[in-house]
Amino acid sequence: GKLIINNENKPHDTSQLYGIDYAHMTLVDIDIEADSLTVRGWDIRSKNVDIHILHQNGFELKTLSADNVLISSDSINLVNLELLTAESHIQNSVELEFSGFNDFKSFADSVVFSMPAANIRLHINDILSVLPTLGKVNFFADNKDKAINVTGNINGYVNRLRVLDMKASMGGITLEGDF
């Protein structure tokens, strides 16, 4: 299918160097498969979820799948998540905890992120596609052609993440330890 979002209350953001303007976006191809889907208010549950998304700018989420999905007004739990793009791969369970959906407006300070036994290969260009404002940060702009590999136990608010038993690498640089 196709999904178009056009928020006429917000002007088009033409200043973005990278990424998606979430107020004005077109998903030119979106496919969703889910088994045993139940929706009760804000509680959504499903098994064997598989999603494919192609954005008009060419960014493609080839696979976003999970064995079990639970979304409620205060958490999102994705069991055996697999996220695959052309250059990134995440395979792990993920949990987000928050006090309400408004916390996503200040995601880095308000949402607790948990990923035990993380196994991540995340390409910087994919990060910039999803979080375009990071394109103004020199580290991301200077390394947009590189990937970060991370293993370890990740927990905490995004801007204060705690990573235990971490091994991270990018290019020829490797870090190991608890952070």
Side-chain angles (χ1 to χ4, degrees), residues 42-43 70-77 94-114 156-157:
W42 285 108
D43 290 338
L70 171 60
I71 301 172
S72 69
S73 59
D74 62 0
S75 68
I76 297 174
N77 192 346
V94 175
E95 185 172 1
L96 304 174
E97 296 178 352
F98 42 90
S99 60
F101 291 111
N102 279 334
D103 285 357
F104 283 89
K105 292 179 182 176
S106 57
F107 182 83
D109 297 310
S110 303
V111 178
V112 175
F113 177 84
S114 177
Y157 294 99

Side-chain angles (χ1 to χ4, degrees), residues 16-34:
Q16 291 181 352
L17 298 174
Y18 308 97
I20 298 168
D21 176 359
Y22 290 97
H24 310 279
M25 71 174 177
T26 301
L27 303 178
V28 294
D29 186 26
I30 182 167
D31 301 303
I32 302 172
E33 291 182 32

Side-chain angles (χ1 to χ4, degrees), residues 116-131:
N119 184 8
I120 301 169
R121 174 181 164 73
L122 194 55
H123 200 277
I124 300 291
N125 208 35
D126 287 344
I127 295 171
L128 293 173
S129 292
V130 176
L131 300 168

